[in-house]
Amino acid sequence: MARYAARHGHLARRLFQLYAGLALYGASSALLVRSGLGLEPWNVLHQGLSERTGLSMGVVLTITGALVLLLWIPLRQRPGLGTISNVLVIGAAMDATLAVVPDAHAMAVRVPLMAAGIVLNGAATGLYIAARFGPGPRDGLMTGLNRRTGVSVRLVRTAIEITVVVTGFVLGGTVGIGTLLYAVTIGPLAQLFLRVFAVPAAPGGSPVVATGTPRRAILRP
């Protein structure tokens, strides 16, 4: 009975981390939008598409995530609960946050919004990945291409992110100091928060330990 209760509590914690991480990811991305100082690579594309289509960024993010998920089929990738939840939750959380956080005009407000967005994004990444419910659609695309082509994860990731940033910028997405700071800090921040939010193993298992830079596991909205 005690073991069943422990396992139930373990699953409940993982589920809480999954959805808290996804919601926080969407909210933190919205803070970067409101700062106007630059977005994460994929959100540069999402913002550009939003500008062109008139759809909200959250809706564009959700549609893009679903389309990327379709690319998993030829790559023989299998989505998990976290993968599907990623598509459904992050965009909704982003739109909800954008609805209540106004645009910032003063640099004294924009800079803290940018900093908070980046740090909270790192925390969200740690929460989500440590829950171990499967990668986001864009991460799965990256690792799937790595397996099918033999090209290194680093090179695949770089090629994809350069493509989405350039395309998003041409479409009207915001590239700036926030984009650069995000690129150089998200890895260390994610690693830190992976350790903070590491979920102990269920009874009879082994503990989850975050080691090395999470190159294969960085959450993409």
Side-chain angles (χ1 to χ4, degrees), residues 15 31-32 35 50 60 75 97 106 115-116 138 154 159 183 204 221:
L15 286 169
L31 296 183
L32 287 171
S35 78
S50 175
V60 170
L75 296 175
T97 305
R138 295 154 186 85
R154 183 187 298 272

Side-chain angles (χ1 to χ4, degrees), residues 42 63-73 137-139 141:
W42 276 95
I63 293 172
T64 304
L67 292 175
V68 170
L69 196 54
L70 291 177
L71 297 177
W72 282 33
I73 297 173
R138 295 154 186 85
D139 280 324
L141 175 63

Side-chain angles (χ1 to χ4, degrees), residues 45-192:
L45 175 62
H46 298 148
Q47 188 181 53
L49 290 170
S50 175
E51 293 288 334
R52 296 287 179 165
T53 63
L55 298 173
S56 71
M57 275 192 70
V59 170
V60 170
L61 188 153
T62 300
I63 293 172
T64 304
L67 292 175
V68 170
L69 196 54
L70 291 177
L71 297 177
W72 282 33
I73 297 173
L75 296 175
R76 298 180 182 177
Q77 294 277 90
R78 292 185 179 180
L81 174 64
T83 311
I84 304 302
S85 299
N86 180 297
V87 174
L88 300 176
V89 175
I90 294 180
M94 174 183 280
D95 276 350
T97 305
L98 289 173
V100 298
V101 178
D103 285 323
H105 301 288
M107 194 61 69
V109 177
R110 295 171 68 192
V111 171
L113 277 177
M114 177 191 68
I118 293 172
V119 173
L120 291 176
N121 201 275
T125 301
L127 278 165
Y128 169 84
I129 295 173
R132 294 177 289 121
F133 279 107
R138 295 154 186 85
D139 280 324
L141 175 63
M142 177 182 66
T143 55
L145 287 171
N146 162 249
R147 282 198 299 269
R148 297 288 286 181
T149 66
V151 178
S152 71
V153 169
R154 183 187 298 272
L155 183 56
V156 170
R157 173 181 166 182
T158 300
I160 291 175
E161 294 193 349
I162 288 175
T163 300
V164 298
V165 166
V166 171
T167 304
F169 179 72
V170 170
L171 292 173
T174 305
V175 176
I177 185 63
T179 309
L180 176 61
L181 288 176
Y182 183 90
V184 300
T185 61
I186 190 61
L189 284 170
Q191 184 61 37
L192 169 65

